[in-house]
């Protein structure tokens, strides 16, 4: 089996796949959809980060592609509906780099609260300005977290340990961590805190969620951070809020339009502002995080291809399977309609196949049937199961 890894995925992922018998091609940069279609010829597994767009056109052009691994948290760069329709399993790393993002957020909050960017620039110009004016501790200050998922929750705990009073808002009902205060609306949060940090996902509904109205609702001289998705913030509106003095500072790690590879030019209306920290989408880019992500996602891809395990899949029914396979394991991905189990078992019975173990799990419109067959499965059996009208994909592992 062959794997294609893009966007400079950590060497641990390459080693993990090669050590399990996969042929691996690794490339540094992202590919656009047409380039990706050409590159996927003969490829069974695809690994990407945040830049490569896996569209329906890409997935439908390569029905042999078994799985896509997003070596990051987000999966909005993948057409998940198309992946499900083509029976392509998608895996990501929802936990592996949360600490890295949290530490960057806290570092930027402290740097902006202490005006470290201004003081650093002045020192490099040869100016000595030992003044406490405008510099504040973060202890005792209020932090508002928009998006209380894995990153938001961990940031909540660590910020509270720094002595900050934490408020949070999420469209999903989430349990508070520690002494954090839940807000019933975004407006309530914005009017209650001195620092706002975004940790929302990349769904289309979040596009432009932060614009002139939201910045206007923030307290004067607040700090604003976006380490989530670039398309959720109107950068022109943020520029106005900063240059007018309404906001004291901002830190951004993501942008509506980002270069595909290191070394390419970058432009933003926020460049040149002394009270703005700009980083090149490195929130999760620490050696520890990338190593953890590489091993975690590669492991999920291997478990799926070798055993059929789909635990923590983004789009498949989740099944945790025993790596010990007695005979042949038949993996049947199908439309979730009544009677499929009976029809598959009828085919197996007609061919004299004995069933040792069997699991059927459904998720939305998809069903996933795993059958361990003790006395082996011939090509004729696989062909007969494929011929069932509900079948989307059939695979065997042994």
């Amino acid at each position: 089996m062959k794997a294609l890894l893009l966007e400079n995925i950590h060497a641990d992922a390459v080693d993990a796949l090669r050590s399990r018998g996969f042929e691996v091609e690794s490339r540094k940069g992202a590919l656009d959809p047409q380039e990706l279609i050409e590159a996927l010829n003969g490829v069974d597994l695809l690994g990407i980060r945040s830049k490569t767009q896996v569209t329906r056109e890409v997935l439908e052009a390569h029905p042999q592609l078994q799985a896509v691994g997003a070596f990051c948290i987000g999966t909005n760069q993948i057409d998940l509906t198309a992946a499900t329709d083509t029976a392509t399993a998608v895996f990501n790393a929802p936990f592996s780099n949360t600490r890295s993002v949290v530490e960057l957020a806290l570092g930027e909050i402290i740097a902006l609260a202490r005006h470290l960017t201004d003081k650093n620039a002045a020192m490099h110009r040869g100016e000595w300005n030992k003044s406490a004016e405008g510099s504040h501790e973060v202890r005792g200050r209020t932090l508002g977290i928009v998006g209380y998922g894995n990153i938001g929750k961990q940031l909540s705990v660590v910020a509270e340990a720094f002595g900050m009073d934490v408020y949070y808002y999420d469209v999903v009902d989430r349990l508070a961590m520690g002494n954090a205060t839940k807000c019933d609306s975004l407006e309530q949060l914005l009017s209650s805190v001195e620092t706002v940090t975004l940790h929302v996902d990349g769904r289309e509904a979040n596009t432009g969620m932060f614009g002139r109205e939201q910045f206007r609702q923030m307290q004067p001289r607040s700090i604003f951070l976006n380490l989530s998705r670039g398309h959720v913030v109107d950068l022109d509106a943020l520029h106005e809020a900063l240059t007018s003095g309404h906001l004291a500072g901002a830190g951004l790690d993501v942008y509506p339009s980002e270069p595909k590879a290191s070394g390419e030019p970058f432009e933003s209306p926020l460049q040149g502002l002394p009270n703005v920290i700009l980083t090149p989408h490195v929130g999760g880019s620490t050696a520890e995080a990338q190593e953890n992500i590489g091993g975690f996602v590669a492991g999920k891809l291997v478990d799926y291809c070798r055993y059929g395990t789909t635990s923590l899949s983004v789009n498949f029914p989740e099944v945790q399977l025993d790596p010990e396979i007695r005979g042949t394991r038949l993996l049947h991905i199908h439309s979730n309609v009544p009677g499929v189990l009976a029809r598959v078992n009828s085919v197996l019975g007609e061919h004299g196949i004995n069933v040792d173990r069997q699991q059927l799990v459904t998720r939305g419109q998809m069903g996933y049937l795993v059958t361990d067959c003790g006395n082996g499965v011939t090509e004729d059996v696989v062909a007969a199961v494929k011929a069932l009208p509900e079948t989307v994909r059939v695979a065997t592992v042994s």
Side-chain angles (χ1 to χ4, degrees):
M1 299 185 73
K2 183 176 180 180
L4 173 64
L5 304 183
L6 305 177
E7 304 183 62
N8 203 29
I9 289 170
H10 196 276
D12 274 18
V14 177
D15 294 341
L17 291 168
R18 284 180 176 160
S19 67
R20 290 166 174 82
F22 290 85
E23 177 188 347
V24 181
E25 178 185 357
S26 184
R27 303 191 190 184
K28 288 187 176 182
L31 298 180
D32 63 34
Q34 191 55 48
E35 292 171 329
L36 187 56
I37 288 175
E38 297 174 4
L40 283 175
N41 290 325
V43 171
D44 304 284
L45 300 177
L46 172 64
I48 62 170
R49 293 178 71 186
S50 58
K51 299 290 190 302
T52 301
Q53 300 296 310
V54 183
T55 65
R56 178 175 289 276
E57 182 184 14
V58 169
L59 293 165
E60 291 181 345
H62 290 283
Q64 88 288 347
L65 187 66
Q66 294 192 35
V68 177
F71 286 74
C72 53
I73 294 176
T75 56
N76 57 294
Q77 71 278 35
I78 304 168
D79 187 330
L80 294 178
T81 301
T84 303
D85 292 343
T86 57
T88 307
V90 177
F91 300 91
N92 69 336
F95 314 111
S96 300
N97 66 354
T98 54
R99 182 67 181 203
S100 297
V101 179
V102 166
E103 289 189 4
L104 180 62
L106 278 171
E108 293 193 353
I109 290 170
I110 294 170
L112 291 167
R114 296 290 299 273
H115 288 266
L116 298 186
T117 54
D118 294 345
K119 295 184 184 300
N120 176 67
M123 290 291 284
H124 280 283
R125 294 192 300 266
E127 301 173 9
W128 181 273
N129 181 17
K130 191 176 182 298
S131 170
E133 183 179 358
S135 294
H136 300 279
E137 295 179 356
V138 298
R139 180 181 56 175
R141 295 174 71 84
T142 51
L143 172 65
I145 301 173
V146 182
Y148 208 59
N150 295 325
I151 293 174
K153 287 179 178 178
Q154 189 168 156
L155 176 57
S156 177
V157 172
V158 179
E160 192 170 295
F162 269 71
M164 302 188 79
D165 295 323
V166 178
Y167 294 73
Y168 71 94
Y169 169 72
D170 199 304
V171 293
V172 178
D173 189 16
R174 309 250 190 208
L175 183 67
M177 303 296 289
N179 295 316
T181 300
K182 176 184 175 182
C183 294
D184 295 325
S185 67
L186 180 59
E187 292 76 15
Q188 179 187 354
L189 179 138
L190 297 180
S191 64
S192 304
V193 301
E194 300 158 302
T195 298
V196 174
T197 180
L198 305 187
H199 300 284
V200 299
D201 61 32
R203 71 186 70 182
E204 188 176 347
N206 286 335
T207 301
M209 69 172 290
F210 237 86
R212 287 179 176 83
E213 179 61 23
Q214 287 71 37
F215 289 123
R216 184 191 62 79
Q217 293 171 11
M218 290 176 62
Q219 292 187 20
R221 305 302 295 165
S222 293
I223 292 171
F224 174 80
L225 273 68
N226 181 24
L227 283 72
S228 59
R229 297 292 183 272
H231 65 270
V232 304
V233 177
D234 181 339
L235 295 189
D236 291 328
L238 177 56
H239 182 277
E240 292 178 12
L242 288 163
T243 54
S244 70
H246 180 62
L247 295 186
L252 286 91
D253 187 50
V254 290
Y255 311 89
S257 178
E258 299 181 2
K260 289 200 301 182
S262 296
E264 295 185 3
F266 166 75
E267 293 183 359
S268 169
L270 303 177
Q271 286 171 304
L273 297 183
N275 54 344
V276 176
I277 298 174
L278 301 178
T279 50
H281 205 147
V282 294
S285 296
T286 60
E288 294 86 353
Q290 292 308 305
E291 181 179 351
N292 291 337
I293 290 171
F296 181 85
V297 179
K300 291 297 177 185
L301 295 174
V302 169
D303 286 348
Y304 176 63
C305 290
R306 291 285 181 251
Y307 314 120
T309 292
T310 56
S311 64
L312 294 183
S313 171
V314 177
N315 65 325
F316 266 38
E318 292 191 46
V319 179
Q320 180 67 47
L321 296 170
D322 189 342
E324 181 183 349
I325 302 173
R326 298 188 290 269
T328 301
R329 179 168 289 168
L330 182 70
L331 310 175
H332 184 235
I333 303 164
H334 57 272
S335 301
N336 182 18
V337 295
V340 174
L341 177 61
R343 282 186 279 278
V344 170
N345 284 339
S346 178
V347 169
L348 297 178
E350 290 170 1
H351 288 80
I353 301 298
N354 186 50
V355 174
D356 284 348
R357 291 179 293 189
Q358 201 165 41
Q359 286 190 62
L360 172 61
V361 182
T362 62
R363 178 175 178 175
Q365 300 302 310
M366 175 185 285
Y368 186 41
L369 174 62
V370 180
T371 305
D372 282 2
C373 305
N375 57 345
V377 175
T378 66
E379 292 183 2
D380 289 342
V381 174
V382 174
V385 175
K386 282 184 178 179
L388 295 174
E390 303 85 3
T391 298
V392 180
R393 188 198 293 265
V394 177
T396 59
V397 293
S398 57

